Amino acid sequence: MEKTQIIYRSTRSSHITATASEAILQGIAPDGGLFVPDRFPEYTNSFDWLAQLSYREVAYEIMRMLLTDFTEEELKYCIDHAYDDKFDIPEMTRLKKADEAWYLELFHGSTIAFKDMALSILPYLMTTAAKKNGVTDEIVILTATSGDTGKAAMAGFADVPGTKIIVFYPKGGVSAIQEKQMVTQRGSNVHVVGIKGNFDDAQSQVKRIFGDKAMLDRMAAAGKRFSSANSINIGRLIPQIVYYFYAYGQMVKADEVKAGGYINVAVPTGNFGNILAAYYAKKMGLPIENLICASNENRVLVDFFQTGVYDRRREFILTSSPSMDILISSNLERLIYEVCGEHAQMTADLMEMLSKDGCYKINEEMRDHLRVFYGDYASEKMTAQEIRHVFETAGYVIDPHTAVASSVYRRYREATEDQEKTVIASTASPYKFARSVVTAIRPGLSGKSDQELIDELRELSGVEIPGAIVEAGSSPVLHDTVVEVSDMEDEVSRWLGL
Ligand SMILES: *Cc1c(COP(=O)(O)O)cnc(C)c1O
């Protein structure tokens, strides 16, 4: 049973299939669909056993179930090289109990956001996949970022032989520190470009370029091929399933939950990747009861869960949680595919409506399958209040993205009286958003400089300033290109010399 291969299918055409390694190499299916596993393997070991495993061991156990065409040796090579001392604590992630919730700190990697959990291993998975499949083309990673993916992807791919990476970020739509981290990136194979548009513009253009026949022909002629480091790549999602299993094991180990007992998970959501990974963990047998999907003021997903209508025709709002400023949540397509009974044509039709009309509606039967999701949002004011509240009651400082989830969870608990223990995905270090965080706690300090606020945060939190912050502050700016959205493709051609 264990060794039966898992096949990956496009959400938009059931005849487009790939092995795990092929799906990772391609990033997105040729028809514009996303690759999904044709079944979810069941976790059958005991949770007491799981509780004894290190993060790397859990990573191996979970990843081998889904990446069935990788050998044990290949997977262990990827895990050992990715999950090393790039992380500032040996356990890589930890659970911190504060104010009636368990915060899963996923920001101990080199760029201090949860994206490191997957993006530190993706380059290894991808180069291993290329080798396995006899691919000798240069792999060009094309990435749209709402602030954190870009830096984490570059950190992973910088100077990896046989690869290049281009990152597009919304100029003016990311935090000062996020931008500084990106434009100081070293590496001869990296290119960072600001765009005069928002994240949705960047992501839509990148998806379009992936499907542009003329461009792909020129790439092929030059011995190059595209892939993706966004969570549209299944190679991003699978490593994210791991930490939900690991967190559950840690809850069992700490006697917070009996082996097999249920927990809830609350996730601050943008592109719907992180929470989809939690849903996949549930489908693989992890005892997760409810999935609390938290949005900021870009509350398109809240409306979707409440009404069954997905409508992106609304104002795009810039918030203090910029990595969630998204109106087109790409990974929702994978959930739609699940809940319509893996009906590729229906999924393709709905996605067509989204791109043509900006909106689609799902039927009642599909809505029934969504009941495990609870969607709500936190306004800017609620987010700041939550940061202050958690600090004042527990002395614990959280970043604005985590605060969105924490705030939504607080109101969920009040509204439902659900007492189930809840793990909140803590997705970024507060240092990455020092201005928003410090001024939420000490509104009087808004006149201070970014550096003064970082020092203030150190006082408040008692947590040392992470190396990533020190480095961004002291490194020279190496990238200053800014282009119109309509010029993104030309910029790619220019930089690649096509
Ligand atoms: C990317 C990101 C999110 C949103 O995650 P998705 O997988 O896009 O839903 C939340 N918080 C932070 C800090 C992020 O970088």
Side-chain angles (χ1 to χ4, degrees):
M1 188 198 96
E2 274 284 300
K3 261 301 161 192
T4 10
Q5 291 277 329
I6 303 243
I7 298 299
Y8 289 80
R9 279 182 211 287
S10 166
T11 47
R12 298 189 192 178
S13 350
S14 48
H15 67 276
I16 296 184
T17 60
T19 61
S21 64
E22 289 165 348
I24 290 171
L25 268 177
Q26 291 180 39
I28 188 166
D31 61 348
L34 307 186
F35 283 114
V36 284
D38 66 347
R39 67 188 171 81
F40 285 91
E42 178 89 6
Y43 175 84
T44 49
N45 283 316
S46 86
F47 292 113
D48 285 313
W49 178 73
L50 179 74
Q52 303 311 315
L53 302 187
S54 70
Y55 192 91
R56 290 167 194 78
E57 288 165 337
V58 177
Y60 176 67
E61 290 303 322
I62 300 306
M63 289 173 54
R64 77 189 182 102
M65 292 165 75
L66 285 156
L67 302 178
T68 47
D69 72 329
F70 284 71
T71 64
E72 172 172 352
E73 198 187 353
E74 287 167 341
L75 265 187
K76 288 190 168 161
Y77 166 84
C78 293
I79 290 169
D80 290 346
H81 285 77
Y83 296 155
D84 59 8
D85 58 11
K86 287 192 274 303
F87 289 78
D88 67 11
I89 52 174
E91 62 273 37
M92 293 183 47
T93 171
R94 65 178 163 222
L95 276 168
K96 165 90 187 164
K97 184 175 185 201
D99 194 30
E100 300 306 309
W102 283 261
Y103 293 84
L104 178 62
E105 294 185 349
L106 298 169
F107 52 75
H108 290 282
S110 56
T111 75
I112 60 176
F114 88 95
K115 304 290 201 293
D116 290 322
M117 304 303 289
L119 282 167
S120 52
I121 195 165
L122 186 65
Y124 291 99
L125 295 174
M126 203 169 287
T127 48
T128 303
K131 209 180 293 165
K132 291 177 77 64
N133 287 282
V135 169
T136 50
D137 289 349
E138 181 176 60
I139 299 170
V140 179
I141 307 293
L142 212 53
T143 296
T145 184
S146 57
D148 289 328
T149 291
K151 180 65 187 184
M154 287 189 291
F157 280 99
D159 294 324
V160 172
T163 71
K164 281 200 166 75
I165 174 164
I166 308 180
V167 168
F168 292 101
Y169 74 95
K171 183 79 190 165
V174 301
S175 86
I177 293 165
Q178 284 178 314
E179 180 168 36
K180 195 78 206 292
Q181 279 186 301
M182 285 190 279
V183 298
T184 55
Q185 176 67 43
R186 290 191 193 86
S188 56
N189 64 336
V190 310
H191 189 45
V192 186
V193 182
I195 63 152
K196 296 179 188 163
N198 61 38
F199 172 75
D200 287 336
D201 298 324
Q203 175 162 261
S204 300
Q205 275 299 313
V206 162
K207 278 193 181 174
R208 202 191 57 70
I209 297 170
F210 280 138
D212 182 331
K213 185 80 176 53
M215 181 74 168
L216 298 184
D217 288 346
R218 278 185 286 145
M219 290 283 287
K224 301 178 196 298
R225 55 156 74 199
F226 286 128
S227 190
S228 170
N230 285 101
S231 53
I232 54 177
N233 193 326
I234 193 74
R236 268 285 297 279
L237 288 183
I238 291 169
Q240 292 181 190
I241 298 172
V242 171
Y243 48 73
Y244 292 107
F245 274 90
Y246 179 76
Y248 184 84
Q250 295 303 299
M251 291 287 276
V252 170
K253 192 174 182 179
D255 250 344
E256 295 287 359
V257 60
K258 282 204 296 289
Y262 278 89
I263 60 166
N264 294 326
V265 168
V267 184
T269 303
N271 224 0
F272 206 76
N274 202 359
I275 193 160
L276 186 74
Y279 177 73
Y280 281 1
K282 177 176 166 68
K283 288 193 70 96
M284 291 170 73
L286 192 68
I288 296 175
E289 181 105 62
N290 293 301
L291 294 139
I292 299 164
C293 178
S295 300
N296 64 21
E297 288 181 358
N298 295 291
R299 42 167 295 171
V300 60
L301 286 167
V302 183
D303 296 340
F304 172 70
F305 285 118
Q306 287 175 0
T307 65
V309 177
Y310 194 94
D311 190 348
R312 68 168 166 87
R313 297 168 302 178
R314 60 181 78 204
E315 191 196 344
F316 186 102
I317 302 168
L318 295 177
T319 72
S320 60
S321 46
S323 304
M324 296 155 66
D325 290 345
I326 294 176
L327 292 176
I328 308 173
S329 300
S330 285
N331 279 292
L332 193 64
E333 176 168 348
R334 288 187 163 109
L335 183 65
I336 296 289
Y337 176 80
E338 278 295 308
V339 300
C340 72
E342 305 186 351
H343 198 305
Q345 191 54 51
M346 195 162 172
T347 311
D349 291 344
L350 291 171
M351 293 307 126
E352 173 82 5
M353 278 183 227
L354 180 62
S355 103
K356 281 232 167 71
D357 312 327
C359 139
Y360 63 82
K361 184 178 193 315
I362 61 169
N363 63 35
E364 281 309 310
E365 200 186 325
M366 288 166 72
R367 282 191 72 189
D368 268 346
H369 291 294
L370 294 178
R371 300 219 184 280
V372 295
F373 288 92
Y374 174 92
D376 203 353
Y377 81 110
S379 67
E380 286 294 273
K381 191 164 164 222
M382 291 182 218
T383 304
Q385 273 169 352
E386 185 68 18
I387 292 171
R388 186 162 66 241
H389 180 85
V390 173
F391 175 72
E392 279 169 1
T393 51
Y396 184 53
V397 182
I398 56 177
D399 101 290
H401 302 76
T402 309
V404 166
S406 186
S407 167
V408 166
Y409 169 59
R410 181 177 309 286
R411 273 168 292 117
Y412 165 85
R413 211 172 52 204
E414 283 159 16
T416 61
E417 294 181 11
D418 180 356
Q419 295 302 320
E420 208 112 84
K421 294 194 172 160
T422 297
V423 169
I424 297 176
S426 182
T427 51
S429 159
Y431 277 104
K432 216 162 180 174
F433 305 94
R435 176 161 299 277
S436 305
V437 170
V438 174
T439 56
I441 297 172
R442 300 269 187 267
L445 298 183
S446 61
K448 300 243 178 200
S449 71
D450 287 344
Q451 188 53 51
E452 286 168 328
L453 291 171
I454 286 168
D455 294 335
E456 194 67 37
L457 185 51
R458 183 171 174 277
E459 290 292 306
L460 287 171
S461 65
V463 174
E464 282 307 315
I465 301 174
I469 295 290
V470 178
E471 199 192 314
S474 62
S475 303
V477 172
L478 301 172
H479 307 269
D480 59 4
T481 311
V482 180
V483 302
E484 300 285 345
V485 175
S486 55
D487 293 335
M488 286 171 57
E489 182 163 349
D490 286 347
E491 182 60 24
V492 173
S493 298
R494 193 195 60 72
W495 190 65
L496 293 176
L498 294 177

